[in-house]
Amino acid sequence: MSTEVPAELADLRRSIDNIDAAIIHMLAERFRCTQQVGVLKARQNLAPADPAREESQIARLRALAHEAGLDPVFAEKFLGFVIAEVIHHHERIASATTSPPAGPGVG
């Protein structure tokens, strides 16, 4: 049994690896931006979640997915996962913003 990977398969896998790396970097950048949104929301005493914005984003990404030939249901599930994580971050930021200051010698 041969363990050698055909050149075409190796090329495709390298492309996939590069795309995966780009996705991770894009998600990291997205979360850096949403962290700033969370800080602004906390300062303005705004709710961590924005259902109207979420609904608009889901519709927009479903349309983009359809145009790109990607299953819109998958795109919505993926965005739903990302949104849930962002809201969790915003809740933590809001909680930290409204918590009383730590006592002496504490973090």
Side-chain angles (χ1 to χ4, degrees):
M1 182 173 231
S2 175
T3 59
E4 189 174 315
V5 176
E8 185 178 8
L9 178 57
D11 287 344
L12 288 168
R13 286 179 173 171
R14 274 191 294 279
S15 291
I16 290 167
D17 291 349
N18 288 337
I19 292 165
D20 288 345
I23 290 169
I24 294 301
H25 287 282
M26 293 298 294
L27 282 170
E29 182 62 24
R30 188 186 197 287
F31 277 94
R32 278 190 282 279
C33 291
T34 60
Q35 289 293 101
Q36 292 175 12
V37 168
V39 169
L40 291 172
K41 282 182 171 185
R43 284 184 191 152
Q44 298 294 320
N45 230 9
L46 299 172
D50 184 345
R53 164 86 173 149
E54 293 159 25
E55 187 177 317
S56 171
Q57 283 295 91
I58 288 169
R60 186 177 75 83
L61 282 225
R62 283 183 65 93
L64 286 171
H66 180 74
E67 291 170 14
L70 181 66
D71 180 2
V73 173
F74 169 77
E76 183 173 349
K77 287 179 185 177
F78 178 77
L79 183 62
F81 176 77
V82 171
I83 289 171
E85 188 65 19
V86 167
I87 291 169
H88 177 69
H89 290 186
H90 289 184
E91 289 169 344
R92 281 197 336 239
I93 292 167
S95 166
T97 303
T98 59
S99 298
V106 178

